[in-house]
Amino acid sequence: MQDYLRARDLAARERYLPAGPIVVASGHADWHDWQPIWERLDLILERIPHMTLVTTAQRKGFDAIVAAWAGDRQVPLVAYTLPGAGRKAPFARNRKMVELQPVEAVLGEGSGIQANLYQALRKASVPIHAFRKADQAAAATVGRPKASWRNRRS
């Protein structure tokens, strides 16, 4: 019984308080160019092999691209949802993400919420890899990602 309770507590702790170096990722929901994001995340993974990726839990766009990369590379992913409702909720989530003391961040240009996260991470001296919406390839030229690393990590 003790082993079961210990395992349950560890699983809950890992879900809400991830262990290891944390990399934050957030961007606009209208993002479509996955290739530069995957390339940058691959470079970060080479330097930080045991990282945990934390996103802002959007179901499409930048966060979905990052989640697909994490699934393909078998990197632990924590999706931070909004704490409550109202106009202040996204900014409260941003503060919580900065309080995790991430070692790096990958941000895509978006709304004022991403700008707020960028400023908070900059103030905390976190290295930021920023992507501009204008630098994306045309949507018609962007293909689907291929699962190239599946089962590579153990």
Side-chain angles (χ1 to χ4, degrees):
M1 186 65 152
Q2 291 290 342
D3 291 338
Y4 168 75
L5 294 173
R6 189 175 304 122
R8 186 182 70 179
D9 289 344
L10 179 62
R13 195 172 26 245
E14 280 293 314
R15 183 173 176 199
Y16 296 108
L17 296 170
I22 294 173
V23 175
V24 170
S26 178
H28 202 274
D30 290 334
W31 210 275
H32 61 267
D33 193 4
W34 59 272
Q35 292 168 329
I37 299 168
W38 278 38
E39 289 169 4
R40 186 63 52 97
L41 289 169
D42 284 339
L43 292 173
I44 294 170
L45 184 61
E46 286 177 17
R47 286 185 285 111
I48 310 169
H50 299 291
M51 71 179 198
T52 297
L53 199 55
V54 177
T55 69
T56 51
Q58 295 183 46
R59 292 189 180 119
K60 60 183 184 173
F62 200 94
D63 285 11
I65 291 168
V66 170
W69 177 87
D72 188 60
R73 305 314 196 249
Q74 298 177 354
V75 172
L77 177 72
V78 176
Y80 256 60
T81 57
L82 293 175
R87 292 179 171 226
K88 293 182 182 180
F91 302 103
R93 177 192 56 207
N94 288 352
R95 281 192 302 278
K96 295 274 186 198
M97 290 174 73
V98 173
E99 288 172 5
L100 292 173
Q101 299 176 346
V103 295
E104 288 193 51
V106 180
L107 299 178
E109 179 183 7
S111 64
I113 298 165
Q114 275 81 27
N116 171 265
L117 181 58
Y118 181 92
Q119 291 169 352
L121 291 167
R122 178 72 63 195
K123 187 176 179 182
S125 300
V126 175
I128 300 171
H129 306 274
F131 293 92
R132 293 180 31 186
K133 275 176 84 172
D135 294 339
Q136 292 187 83
T141 63
V142 176
R144 295 180 58 90
K146 292 179 177 56
S148 58
W149 277 38
R150 205 158 297 277
N151 299 323
R152 183 171 173 180
R153 291 187 59 186
S154 53

